[in-house]
Amino acid sequence: MKKRKAAVFLWFDTEAEAAAEFYAATFPGSRVDQVIRFSGDTPSGPAGSVQVVEMTLMGLPYALLNAGPHVQPNDAYSLQVYTEDQAETDRLWDAIVGNGGEEIMCGWCKDRWGFRWQITPRVLMDALSHPDATASARAQTAMMEMRKIDIAVIEAALRGEPQT
């Protein structure tokens, strides 16, 4: 395995390996690279239990650490995933929410381990940066009403079509 120079660390209580397997199965370009186990008993786990899972998450290096309940995820960290179409948006959203997660607003959801995800269609990012400020504002307003992003509604808002 190639030696990494840096990785994003995500802290878990005891489910780093389960999370890594879920992320690897859910997100393209993801895989579990290595599972490191405790060699002796520690406050974070007994000998032989999972300490760190190194993984590639959508092409980026991550390390998932079982560190006990001392540190919980918070809103200061989230993972943004850009999607190409509604089918991909629906699949990823439904995988996270349907696996013990929860819906939030404006394309945000939370996985069962407490990490926030932004499932963001590229169409939305294009709409929010549209050169027509009025059209962009309509798309922004439409997004603020949603949980999971509905691409057809964003495109209609850009065109100035009334919301139904």
Side-chain angles (χ1 to χ4, degrees):
M1 185 172 82
K2 181 180 171 187
K3 296 292 182 189
R4 298 177 174 183
K5 292 196 178 265
V8 176
F9 251 74
L10 300 180
W11 285 37
F12 294 81
D13 185 0
T14 60
E15 293 192 38
E17 188 171 27
E21 289 171 355
F22 172 74
Y23 298 156
T26 302
F27 296 100
S30 301
R31 67 182 180 276
V32 173
D33 297 316
Q34 178 173 234
V35 177
I36 301 167
R37 299 185 180 281
F38 289 110
S39 58
D41 291 341
T42 73
S44 297
S49 65
V50 174
Q51 179 181 16
V52 175
V53 179
E54 290 185 334
M55 75 172 302
T56 301
L57 182 58
M58 294 175 286
L60 301 172
Y62 275 77
L64 285 59
L65 172 70
N66 280 333
H70 315 295
V71 178
Q72 296 296 310
N74 66 51
D75 297 347
Y77 178 84
S78 66
L79 297 101
Q80 187 169 34
V81 179
Y82 297 105
T83 59
E84 299 301 326
D85 56 31
Q86 193 66 53
E88 184 181 21
T89 301
D90 293 348
R91 184 184 71 76
L92 295 176
W93 179 274
D94 295 345
I96 291 169
V97 172
N99 188 41
E102 67 182 81
E103 295 183 355
I104 306 176
M105 293 299 295
C106 306
W108 295 74
C109 56
K110 190 183 297 187
D111 69 24
R112 74 179 199 191
W113 299 282
F115 289 100
R116 284 184 181 247
W117 294 80
Q118 297 169 273
I119 307 303
T120 308
R122 290 190 188 279
V123 167
L124 174 62
M125 299 309 291
D126 292 343
L128 297 178
S129 62
H130 196 279
D132 178 341
T134 303
S136 178
R138 288 191 306 263
Q140 175 83 24
T141 299
M143 179 204 61
M144 297 297 286
E145 302 285 321
M146 297 177 191
R147 290 184 182 264
K148 176 174 55 177
I149 302 302
D150 183 326
I151 292 173
V153 172
I154 296 297
E155 290 172 334
L158 263 181
R159 294 187 299 268
E161 296 171 3
Q163 302 298 308
T164 56

